[in-house]
Amino acid sequence: MEYRFSNKIANLKPSAIREILKAPSDADTISFAAGNPSPEAFPVKELAELAQKIFEEEPVAALQYSVTDGYGPLRKAIADRQKKVFGIGRDFDNTIVVSGGQQGIELLCKVMCNEGDAVAVENPSFVGALNAFRSCGARTVGVPLSEDDSGLDTDALEETLSSNADIRFLYVIPTFQNPAGTTTTLEKRKKIYEICLRHGVLILEDNPYGELRFDGEEVPTLKSMDEEGIVVYCSSFSKILSPGIRLGFVVAPDPIAQKMVVAKQSEDVHTNIFFQILCYRFLTEYDLDAHIRRLRALYGKKCRRMLDCLAKELPPSVKFTRPQGGLFVWCTLPEGTDAAGFIRACVDKNLRIVPGVTFNADTEAPSRCFRLNYSMPSEAQIEEGCRRLGEVARQFVKS
Amino acid sequence: MEYRFSNKIANLKPSAIREILKAPSDADTISFAAGNPSPEAFPVKELAELAQKIFEEEPVAALQYSVTDGYGPLRKAIADRQKKVFGIGRDFDNTIVVSGGQQGIELLCKVMCNEGDAVAVENPSFVGALNAFRSCGARTVGVPLSEDDSGLDTDALEETLSSNADIRFLYVIPTFQNPAGTTTTLEKRKKIYEICLRHGVLILEDNPYGELRFDGEEVPTLKSMDEEGIVVYCSSFSKILSPGIRLGFVVAPDPIAQKMVVAKQSEDVHTNIFFQILCYRFLTEYDLDAHIRRLRALYGKKCRRMLDCLAKELPPSVKFTRPQGGLFVWCTLPEGTDAAGFIRACVDKNLRIVPGVTFNADTEAPSRCFRLNYSMPSEAQIEEGCRRLGEVARQFVKS
């Protein structure tokens, strides 16, 4: 039988990154491609202790069906923590649990967009979000990041919202952006909020890396400025506890949160309740802040190592961002470089990096960029990987 | 700010059952409303042992990001078991892991239906599936179940498929149907397969209760007849292991499975990997069949108790089905009964049942039916609940 698929899915490609991660590898392969936490980053002993306690003390609650909006005590613990750490959450907001930040992103698009509606996105942006919007039948309209690493080009945002009446919301990762690694300045955040408010366009603020700052000063979240109920805030425990447990959350004006819950019910009924309880108990019985301080130190060290190696190995004409947190460095090859050839040459040297085209709102547009991850490789691998990158760069880039 | 939602979500109501379950209850409340496994049904000791082993032996694999189609060894173990138990799976099929059977249902609709397309469903049918189709912007077109409890009315199916060219697939629960508790005969299954094949319409066969037979003879699944690759088969570990862990699977022709994986990537990246590994180890290190035999004995006993009590308490004009497995009994009040008043009177007696309208393809259509669950209440609660039901029936039904 010939199968005919829905328009929105027929042309959707699997994430290039997930495909890269599935490719065969050997002991010599070095991957800067993943967005994974470091394998050293999981508090295994504590999680094991809690799991055992849950099986002893509340097994039925942890294994039975549960409510769609999330385990009540966890929702409250998350709301309290977001208030304390990021100044987030007003009377009109509600906090719900989702199956990873990814689900929060997809659900907002589902509840807001009819097929053919549009979502404005930073260009480049997180491919998982771009694909989520596409999987709902929405168009992605790219707004470029400024060349000076200050975040979204707000003039371009103004122009985009003025000329596209069907944009239902703007998706941004203001802090330690994926893939660019940059952080939007406070001034620009205020400007973004003002522009979106004026155009009646919601903001989806994705902040999965916000707790992973190892350098510089905190910048207030967009959600902390949200007096008018136009910001939906999405984050997760993937980068601070474990991504494998698929546990995220959304703080949104209650009418939006309610609709997201209705849509979530149809997707997976609820998020794995065992790990919701476990996460709640971790938040209340252990010291998450101390754990996060360890992660910050670990990632800060790895990032500085990567930046040092890149400075040493790459010709000056290859530009790269200097993140103050998060997981990624974003590199831009000089004009005229054969970027596709560059990527292939890295593959030939057993080095995996993610080509910039992956993150483009317009998948047909070219890119001279690539993304590097420093959380997953060891420091020795960072050093050796950058050495290989330097070899390829000296071959492809006229310095 | 006034929020404008997508058409598909704007009119979608939360599941009436989940709302009933959220209502306040006291010690005297008896619920026949849930679809939950019995609290005695969870193999807590075994799960606790395995969890501890996983934290000791493979913590990073169980906490790190994983692949979207599911943990390889689990996919193989599921495929092997489905082949052995239900004769399911041909060379053209693939087996993927999803976050509960609910996600499999929603994903098929997402990959097959544009907004406005239709899905044919048994009427009545599982409300979670109906809402999943609605949440994708699809219309649900009901095909009645036959009065003789033999399953779908196949003449009506022929007529429905002939007159609705936009039907993309037929959704059925042939074994221990939810809510009706009935099992489609082999003859009718063959007829359903033949009709759908002839019309070029896919079949989504949902079989969450198939392993829970406590009476009568096995009837082959539709998927076991699938020579032509027109059946997508969906099931889960919710009713045989734990619903709280949200672990289901789909066996589908590979091109369809691939598209479902792409769509799943955008919804939740992958299913909780810790419990995928745990489930795999349960399947290979413990005796699932012995566990299922215990469940069958437990539910068979509870079901017989409920049927005995209903026969004793209800006037003969109230009809009810006699399930050979699964979790539900379906009752039909005689014509002319005030069904809404009946339900309210049950609520007043602290008895929760699910009104039949909940399961209607057309939410505006009336229903004289209601659904009873026997897996969750104790035998004493079954007895007392049926007594209350009898009191209400004697008040509302002229015998």
Side-chain angles (χ1 to χ4, degrees):
Chain A
M1 183 162 171
E2 277 293 303
Y3 306 109
R4 181 165 61 85
F5 298 104
S6 63
N7 298 336
K8 54 190 174 286
I9 299 297
N11 297 313
L12 190 61
K13 300 278 185 303
S15 154
I17 302 169
R18 310 236 114 225
E19 295 303 304
I20 289 170
L21 296 178
K22 279 167 82 174
S25 64
D26 60 35
D28 183 52
T29 305
I30 291 176
S31 179
F32 292 163
N36 295 17
S38 169
E40 310 140 81
F42 306 123
V44 175
K45 187 175 141 286
E46 293 81 357
L47 297 178
E49 285 169 7
L50 285 172
Q52 216 53 20
K53 280 195 205 172
I54 291 168
F55 279 118
E56 277 161 28
E57 296 167 15
E58 45 186 334
V60 174
L63 295 170
Q64 190 57 281
Y65 277 117
S66 189
V67 290
T68 305
D69 50 3
Y71 180 57
L74 176 62
R75 290 170 57 209
K76 178 157 188 333
I78 291 169
D80 290 348
R81 185 176 173 84
Q82 296 308 306
K83 188 101 183 175
K84 190 186 79 177
V85 178
F86 295 112
I88 280 174
R90 287 180 168 70
D91 285 349
F92 56 70
D93 284 316
N94 197 351
T95 301
I96 61 171
V97 175
V98 289
S99 303
Q102 180 71 41
Q103 190 180 43
I105 294 166
E106 193 265 353
L107 286 176
L108 185 71
C109 192
K110 192 182 247 182
V111 306
M112 286 296 159
C113 293
N114 293 320
E115 287 177 8
D117 283 348
V119 177
V121 298
E122 292 168 320
N123 202 19
S125 187
F126 169 46
V127 62
L130 297 175
N131 279 345
F133 304 147
R134 292 164 185 150
S135 80
C136 291
R139 286 184 305 125
T140 55
V141 180
V143 182
L145 296 175
S146 298
E147 299 264 337
D148 64 357
D149 293 350
S150 63
L152 203 62
D153 179 334
T154 46
D155 291 337
L157 175 64
E158 178 75 57
E159 155 63 21
T160 301
L161 297 190
S162 299
S163 55
N164 292 274
D166 61 350
I167 287 175
R168 305 289 292 116
F169 61 90
L170 167 70
Y171 171 74
V172 284
I173 312 165
T175 304
F176 319 136
Q177 209 255 6
N178 179 5
T182 53
T183 294
T184 307
T185 62
L186 177 58
E187 190 192 351
K188 281 214 164 166
R189 292 179 191 220
K190 288 179 178 166
K191 187 90 188 161
I192 290 168
Y193 186 88
E194 181 273 316
I195 293 172
C196 287
L197 180 63
R198 183 154 37 76
H199 284 274
V201 166
L202 295 173
I203 298 169
L204 173 54
E205 178 177 31
D206 189 12
N207 194 23
Y209 318 107
E211 301 245 27
L212 298 179
R213 176 177 288 281
F214 44 73
D215 205 1
E217 295 294 315
E218 284 289 341
V219 186
T221 57
L222 282 158
K223 185 63 181 162
S224 71
M225 308 171 186
D226 185 23
E227 301 286 352
E228 281 85 4
I230 66 164
V231 182
V232 173
Y233 179 87
C234 190
S235 186
S236 94
F237 291 97
S238 291
K239 306 305 187 289
I240 57 174
L241 205 56
S242 152
I245 63 175
R246 310 307 305 131
L247 200 53
F249 54 90
V250 171
V251 184
D254 189 56
I256 297 176
Q258 294 297 341
K259 290 293 184 191
M260 291 174 80
V261 169
V262 170
K264 176 173 169 59
Q265 198 165 81
S266 289
E267 283 192 2
D268 64 2
V269 189
H270 62 78
T271 296
N272 183 297
I273 179 65
F274 187 94
F275 274 99
Q276 288 191 66
I277 295 176
L278 195 150
C279 184
Y280 165 68
R281 295 187 67 156
F282 192 93
L283 285 171
T284 50
E285 299 175 27
Y286 289 86
D287 188 349
L288 179 60
D289 290 322
H291 175 63
I292 289 174
R293 280 194 297 275
R294 281 190 296 273
L295 294 182
R296 290 175 171 195
L298 177 66
Y299 293 153
K301 193 150 169 274
K302 288 187 174 196
C303 180
R304 279 186 292 276
R305 175 63 68 99
M306 181 171 270
L307 295 179
D308 288 349
C309 291
L310 292 176
K312 186 177 134 204
E313 300 287 351
L314 293 181
S317 60
V318 181
K319 303 293 174 200
F320 53 90
T321 55
R322 271 135 188 104
Q324 299 187 327
L327 307 180
F328 305 113
V329 174
W330 183 242
C331 303
T332 305
L333 296 164
E335 267 186 65
T337 312
D338 170 12
F342 186 98
I343 303 286
R344 276 195 304 274
C346 288
V347 172
D348 290 345
K349 285 197 188 295
N350 268 348
L351 175 66
R352 293 191 193 157
I353 62 177
V354 186
V357 287
T358 308
F359 308 97
N360 274 347
D362 170 4
T363 51
E364 305 297 308
S367 171
R368 284 180 288 115
C369 304
F370 55 90
R371 190 190 76 175
L372 305 179
N373 163 270
Y374 48 79
S375 59
M376 186 75 174
S378 66
E379 289 194 58
Q381 287 174 319
I382 288 173
E383 206 159 314
E384 170 60 16
C386 289
R387 203 192 52 73
R388 295 181 196 176
L389 200 62
E391 280 183 14
V392 175
R394 283 188 293 278
Q395 184 189 339
F396 278 81
V397 176
K398 307 149 200 96
S399 56
Chain B
M1 181 163 174
E2 277 291 305
Y3 306 110
R4 181 165 62 85
F5 298 103
S6 64
N7 298 335
K8 52 190 177 286
I9 298 297
N11 297 312
L12 190 62
K13 301 277 185 303
S15 155
I17 302 171
R18 310 236 114 227
E19 294 305 302
I20 289 170
L21 297 178
K22 279 167 81 174
S25 64
D26 59 37
D28 183 51
T29 304
I30 292 176
S31 178
F32 292 163
N36 295 18
S38 169
E40 309 141 82
F42 305 125
V44 176
K45 187 175 140 285
E46 293 82 357
L47 298 178
E49 284 169 9
L50 286 172
Q52 215 53 19
K53 279 194 204 172
I54 291 168
F55 279 119
E56 276 162 26
E57 296 167 15
E58 45 186 334
V60 174
L63 295 170
Q64 190 57 279
Y65 277 117
S66 189
V67 290
T68 305
D69 51 3
Y71 180 56
L74 176 62
R75 290 171 57 210
K76 177 151 189 339
I78 291 170
D80 290 348
R81 185 176 173 83
Q82 296 307 306
K83 188 101 182 177
K84 192 186 75 174
V85 178
F86 295 112
I88 280 173
R90 286 180 169 71
D91 285 349
F92 56 70
D93 284 316
N94 198 350
T95 301
I96 61 171
V97 174
V98 288
S99 302
Q102 179 72 42
Q103 190 180 42
I105 294 166
E106 193 266 351
L107 286 176
L108 185 71
C109 191
K110 192 182 246 181
V111 306
M112 286 297 159
C113 294
N114 294 320
E115 287 176 8
D117 283 347
V119 177
V121 298
E122 293 168 318
N123 201 22
S125 187
F126 169 46
V127 61
L130 297 175
N131 280 345
F133 305 147
R134 293 165 184 148
S135 79
C136 291
R139 287 184 303 124
T140 55
V141 179
V143 181
L145 295 176
S146 298
E147 299 266 337
D148 64 358
D149 293 350
S150 63
L152 204 63
D153 179 334
T154 46
D155 292 338
L157 176 64
E158 178 75 58
E159 154 63 21
T160 301
L161 297 191
S162 299
S163 56
N164 292 275
D166 61 350
I167 288 175
R168 305 290 292 116
F169 62 90
L170 167 70
Y171 171 73
V172 284
I173 312 165
T175 304
F176 319 137
Q177 209 255 5
N178 179 3
T182 54
T183 294
T184 306
T185 62
L186 177 57
E187 191 193 350
K188 281 212 163 167
R189 290 180 192 219
K190 288 179 178 166
K191 187 89 187 160
I192 290 167
Y193 186 87
E194 182 272 315
I195 293 172
C196 287
L197 180 63
R198 184 154 37 77
H199 285 274
V201 166
L202 295 174
I203 298 169
L204 174 53
E205 179 178 29
D206 190 12
N207 194 23
Y209 318 108
E211 301 245 27
L212 298 180
R213 175 178 288 281
F214 43 73
D215 205 1
E217 296 293 315
E218 284 290 340
V219 186
T221 57
L222 282 158
K223 184 63 181 163
S224 71
M225 307 170 188
D226 186 24
E227 301 286 352
E228 281 83 4
I230 65 165
V231 182
V232 174
Y233 179 88
C234 190
S235 185
S236 94
F237 290 97
S238 291
K239 306 305 188 289
I240 56 174
L241 205 56
S242 151
I245 63 176
R246 311 306 305 130
L247 199 52
F249 54 90
V250 172
V251 184
D254 188 56
I256 298 176
Q258 294 296 341
K259 290 294 184 191
M260 291 174 80
V261 169
V262 170
K264 176 174 169 59
Q265 197 165 81
S266 290
E267 283 192 2
D268 63 4
V269 189
H270 63 78
T271 296
N272 183 298
I273 179 65
F274 187 95
F275 274 99
Q276 288 193 67
I277 295 176
L278 195 151
C279 184
Y280 165 69
R281 294 186 68 157
F282 193 92
L283 285 172
T284 51
E285 297 175 28
Y286 288 87
D287 188 348
L288 179 60
D289 290 322
H291 175 63
I292 288 174
R293 281 194 297 275
R294 282 191 295 275
L295 294 182
R296 289 174 171 197
L298 177 67
Y299 293 154
K301 194 150 168 272
K302 288 188 174 195
C303 180
R304 279 186 292 277
R305 175 61 68 97
M306 181 171 271
L307 295 178
D308 288 349
C309 292
L310 292 177
K312 188 178 134 204
E313 301 286 352
L314 292 181
S317 60
V318 181
K319 304 294 175 200
F320 54 90
T321 55
R322 271 135 190 103
Q324 300 188 327
L327 307 179
F328 305 112
V329 174
W330 182 242
C331 302
T332 306
L333 296 163
E335 268 187 63
T337 312
D338 170 13
F342 186 99
I343 304 286
R344 277 195 305 274
C346 289
V347 172
D348 290 344
K349 285 197 188 294
N350 268 349
L351 175 66
R352 293 191 194 156
I353 62 177
V354 186
V357 288
T358 308
F359 307 98
N360 275 345
D362 171 4
T363 52
E364 303 298 309
S367 171
R368 286 180 288 116
C369 303
F370 54 90
R371 190 190 75 176
L372 305 179
N373 163 268
Y374 49 78
S375 59
M376 185 75 173
S378 67
E379 289 194 58
Q381 287 175 319
I382 288 174
E383 207 160 315
E384 170 61 16
C386 289
R387 203 192 54 72
R388 295 181 196 174
L389 201 62
E391 280 183 15
V392 175
R394 283 188 294 278
Q395 184 189 339
F396 277 81
V397 177
K398 306 148 201 100
S399 57

